[in-house]
Amino acid sequence: MDALREGIEQLWGRRSELSPADREARALVAEAISLLDSGECRVAEPLPECTGSGDRGPVVVNEWLKQAILLWFLLGEISTIELGPFEYADKVPLKRNFALAGVRVVPGASARWGSFLGRGVILMPSYVNIGARVGAGTMVDTWATVGSCAQIGERVHLSGGVGIGGVLEPANAVPVVVEDDVMVGSRSMITQGARVGRGSVLGEGTILNPSIPVVDGETGEELSRGVVPPWSVAVGAMRRRQLPGGEFFLPCVLVLRRLSEGERHDKARLNEILRHHGVSA
Ligand SMILES: CC(C)(COP(=O)(O)OP(=O)(O)OC[C@H]1O[C@@H](n2cnc3c(N)ncnc32)[C@H](O)[C@@H]1OP(=O)(O)O)[C@@H](O)C(=O)NCCC(=O)NCCS
């Protein structure tokens, strides 16, 4: 692994010289991305859980794997993908062998090669980008998008239309982290390395990024920016801001209440029938 990492770092150092004609470089980069695809490696490793104390919680980012993904866009060639009457042209192939991986993929869903989907994952017509990791038993509901390198935990529900931001464009240092057992309400947007702690439930349309205050509804205290503490029930809200141009309302996330550790909110209970796979997750 160290040799592969060094090889990628060297290629990154001379990326301005590279082209798809560099077959050896291409093979090396493909090897690194295959490790992401199989789940042997991950772009970011959230260390155990965010504490809820206001910091974002430690996330180890494997920069060389992010570099490998970017290098692929220099070294890969555009090829045509055909599906019935549809035609696509892309540098990144689609992920394959879902049944073998114990993953259910509804027509209209796409996952790119270099993303990892754990056993029991269900992809409704949705999109999972390269470098993303989706944990076992997670449901990615209709029109949800999981951006490049985002790290989604196990038994999560990303409801319809949820947008999870990626790190590649615009360039972000740390990927979004959604920890195990989270429910993200429809059409929420979580971007720029924001983090949702384990077991939390977010209401519809919640916007979360590292500039957005997360406020305790009981005390009014600002708990963090961009981090929802574990086992919180939170909704998108507005805070008053006085600016030179007048009074405005900017978004914040309001923690309505706390669940006890391990408790599932009634509205976030998983529907085991929908998730029945015939595989153990
Ligand atoms: C976030 C959520 C769990 C809150 O539900 P809850 O804990 O039962 O909260 P309650 O309904 O008791 O509401 C508590 C307060 O918050 C308000 N509230 C509830 N949900 C809200 C939301 N999404 N946005 C803003 N305020 C909300 C209520 O009006 C209520 O205010 P009040 O005390 O002044 O009456 C719930 O709204 C939810 O599940 N949302 C996601 C739904 C979704 O996207 N499902 C997936 C479909 S694919």
Side-chain angles (χ1 to χ4, degrees):
M1 188 79 77
D2 285 350
L4 182 60
R5 179 194 173 128
E6 275 168 33
I8 298 293
E9 285 168 350
Q10 277 169 13
L11 289 178
W12 183 251
R14 57 184 191 87
R15 60 190 178 280
S16 58
E17 304 157 21
L18 297 174
S19 80
D22 294 302
R23 295 284 148 184
E24 262 182 47
R26 195 179 137 103
L28 200 69
V29 171
E31 194 182 328
I33 297 178
S34 296
L35 293 175
L36 293 172
D37 193 77
S38 65
E40 281 165 79
C41 285
R42 53 196 292 178
V43 171
E45 296 173 39
L47 297 176
E49 284 181 2
C50 66
T51 56
S53 62
D55 62 58
R56 210 187 282 188
V59 179
V60 176
V61 179
N62 296 314
E63 206 56 46
W64 66 282
L65 288 163
K66 260 167 75 178
Q67 290 167 349
I69 293 173
L70 288 168
L71 285 168
W72 184 260
F73 288 93
L74 285 175
L75 294 163
E77 280 168 322
I78 290 198
S79 63
T80 296
I81 303 167
E82 284 186 78
L83 170 73
F86 295 98
E87 187 189 299
Y88 307 91
D90 194 14
K91 290 185 173 185
V92 183
L94 290 172
K95 194 169 175 63
R96 302 185 67 85
N97 300 319
F98 294 115
L100 199 66
V103 172
R104 186 143 68 83
V105 180
V106 171
S110 308
R112 266 173 152 181
W113 171 64
S115 61
F116 172 73
L117 306 173
R119 277 187 101 65
V121 163
I122 300 173
L123 298 188
M124 295 303 283
S126 57
Y127 192 77
V128 181
N129 208 345
I130 188 166
R133 186 181 174 96
V134 180
T138 285
M139 162 91 80
V140 183
D141 225 323
T142 304
W143 307 137
T145 52
V146 183
S148 53
C149 307
Q151 305 289 304
I152 310 297
E154 300 187 353
R155 301 170 300 280
V156 168
H157 185 178
L158 300 180
S159 306
V162 163
I164 302 290
V167 292
L168 299 180
E169 197 177 62
N172 282 301
V174 179
V176 169
V177 174
V178 176
E179 295 178 5
D180 296 345
D181 303 301
V182 164
M183 202 282 258
V184 182
S186 301
R187 306 267 162 187
S188 294
M189 302 294 291
I190 304 174
T191 56
Q192 299 181 52
R195 185 162 177 165
V196 183
R198 182 159 189 205
S200 286
V201 182
L202 300 190
E204 299 89 328
T206 305
I207 299 175
L208 184 69
N209 72 39
S211 307
I212 294 201
V214 177
V215 177
D216 188 317
E218 294 249 318
T219 61
E221 182 197 353
E222 181 176 314
L223 299 169
S224 73
R225 297 240 159 173
V227 181
V228 173
W231 311 106
S232 304
V233 180
V235 295
M238 291 291 172
R239 65 191 167 115
R240 204 189 299 264
R241 288 275 278 135
Q242 191 66 45
L243 297 177
E247 192 180 58
F248 296 90
F249 291 87
L250 292 180
C252 65
V253 171
L254 187 66
V255 176
L256 290 177
R257 62 197 174 90
R258 303 294 181 102
L259 301 167
S260 48
E261 198 174 326
E263 179 187 353
R264 271 266 180 199
H265 190 293
D266 288 348
K267 293 182 181 168
R269 285 196 194 287
L270 304 182
N271 190 331
E272 297 304 337
I273 294 178
L274 292 182
R275 284 161 195 262
H276 187 69
H277 244 279
V279 297
S280 50

